[in-house]
Amino acid sequence: ELWEPHYRAQIIDAALESGVALELSTRYRAPNETLVREAFAAGVRFAVASDGHYLEAIGAFDYARRMIAELQIPDDRFFLPARRIDAGS
């Protein structure tokens, strides 16, 4: 099972070591709540995605919003790109 404790620990360690954010995906309701709680406690940063493949799913963030509210994840724990791309370029 993907969400066994030793796999969760590997995912958390990899995110911390690489500085990569863990995606909270509404489409797949992933990662599971246990991993989100453990990752948050360990200091992992997060990113939010709806992974919408049809119009009604675009911007649907209910799972991510629930995790953010329940864990009270602060703004500074989310990935924000350091640079912006000029759409006119």
Side-chain angles (χ1 to χ4, degrees):
E1 152 109 13
L2 177 62
W3 305 119
E4 292 294 324
H6 62 282
Y7 288 124
R8 293 194 313 264
Q10 289 177 348
I11 292 167
I12 292 167
D13 289 344
L16 288 170
E17 289 175 18
S18 66
V20 172
L22 192 63
E23 178 183 327
L24 301 177
S25 172
T26 290
R27 180 176 186 198
Y28 297 105
R29 302 269 189 248
N32 72 12
E33 189 171 333
T34 301
L35 177 54
V36 175
R37 288 181 183 282
E38 291 173 352
F40 178 59
V44 171
R45 292 187 315 152
F46 297 94
V48 174
S50 64
D51 199 16
H53 289 256
Y54 52 94
L55 186 59
E56 295 79 17
I58 296 172
F61 298 114
D62 54 308
Y63 177 73
R65 283 184 176 152
R66 183 172 64 83
M67 290 288 93
I68 293 164
E70 285 182 15
L71 297 176
Q72 299 180 346
I73 302 173
D75 292 348
D76 65 351
R77 292 291 291 278
F78 289 91
F79 169 76
L80 294 173
R83 69 180 175 106
R84 299 204 182 265
I85 299 172
D86 182 5
S89 298

